[in-house]
Amino acid sequence: MFTLSQFPLPYAYGALAPYMSPETLELHHGKHLATYIKNLNDLIENTPYESVELYEIIKSSAADKQNPNAQKIYNNAAQIFNHDFFFKGMCNDCNGQIPSEIANAFGSADEFKKQFKNAATSLFGSGYTWLVRDGEDLKIINMQNADTPIAYNMVPLLNLDVWEHAYYVDYQNRRADFIDNYLEHLVDWGQVAENLKQ
Ligand code: MN
């Protein structure tokens, strides 16, 4: 059994305003994430997944061809991980320095932001734009829907949720403005630097 209290926001609902409103965070954390948790609990009840760590549920369900519910289990488990990672990767205008390893990998901090924005803007439909370490390389990748890099042995460093529920209350159809504010004001680069040590 997973509970929302295992995945707390590290700040108050109002902490990311005006770039992300309390209404958005309350819906996104208190309703969307809570629903993925409830769905996963319902799906894994009385199955071998019931007493397994979230990370292992994601890895196992991604490879599970026997269980007809495996895709649903994967989607909901991955969404719990993806959201917790997203929420814990933000703060309000703190830690503004992009780690030099990232700037160097992409040419400059501005070039990284440009490439990340291009990817996030071009993601068709629902999903996430990720910065990952894949082997030795840092890569910006788009993944559709709930898909998550930890299922592919990539190390997640940063993710931006571009499902409409992540921004529609605050930005309506203006996804590009959401991405700009995210990159300029919301990324916790100190957390990204910690993730780079993994
Ligand atoms: Mn979301």
Side-chain angles (χ1 to χ4, degrees), residues 28 32-33 36 79 83 86-87 127-128 161-163 165-166:
H28 205 174
H32 286 276
L33 175 55
Y36 294 123
Q79 280 293 61
H83 281 97
F86 174 59
F87 294 136
Y128 299 77
D161 186 342
V162 292
W163 285 58
H165 67 229

Side-chain angles (χ1 to χ4, degrees), residues 10-107:
Y11 37 72
Y13 284 141
L16 302 184
Y19 312 112
M20 189 175 287
S21 68
E23 292 78 12
T24 288
L25 272 174
E26 200 165 350
L27 282 166
H28 205 174
H29 182 266
K31 300 281 191 253
H32 286 276
L33 175 55
T35 299
Y36 294 123
I37 291 169
K38 183 188 183 307
N39 289 345
L40 182 65
N41 285 333
D42 290 346
L43 285 161
I44 65 177
E45 193 176 4
N46 300 320
T47 76
Y49 290 105
E50 195 168 21
S51 53
V52 178
E53 296 286 339
L54 185 66
Y55 180 84
E56 287 304 322
I57 295 177
I58 292 168
K59 297 284 287 182
S60 301
S61 61
D64 186 353
K65 308 294 180 206
Q66 309 301 321
N67 185 339
N69 279 333
Q71 182 69 48
K72 289 180 194 166
I73 291 170
Y74 176 79
N75 286 342
N76 284 283
Q79 280 293 61
I80 296 170
F81 174 82
N82 293 345
H83 281 97
D84 190 52
F85 194 86
F86 174 59
F87 294 136
K88 289 189 165 72
M90 291 188 288
C91 58
N92 195 336
D93 274 327
C94 71
N95 294 320
Q97 201 68 16
I98 294 187
S100 56
E101 185 180 345
I102 296 172
N104 292 340
F106 291 90

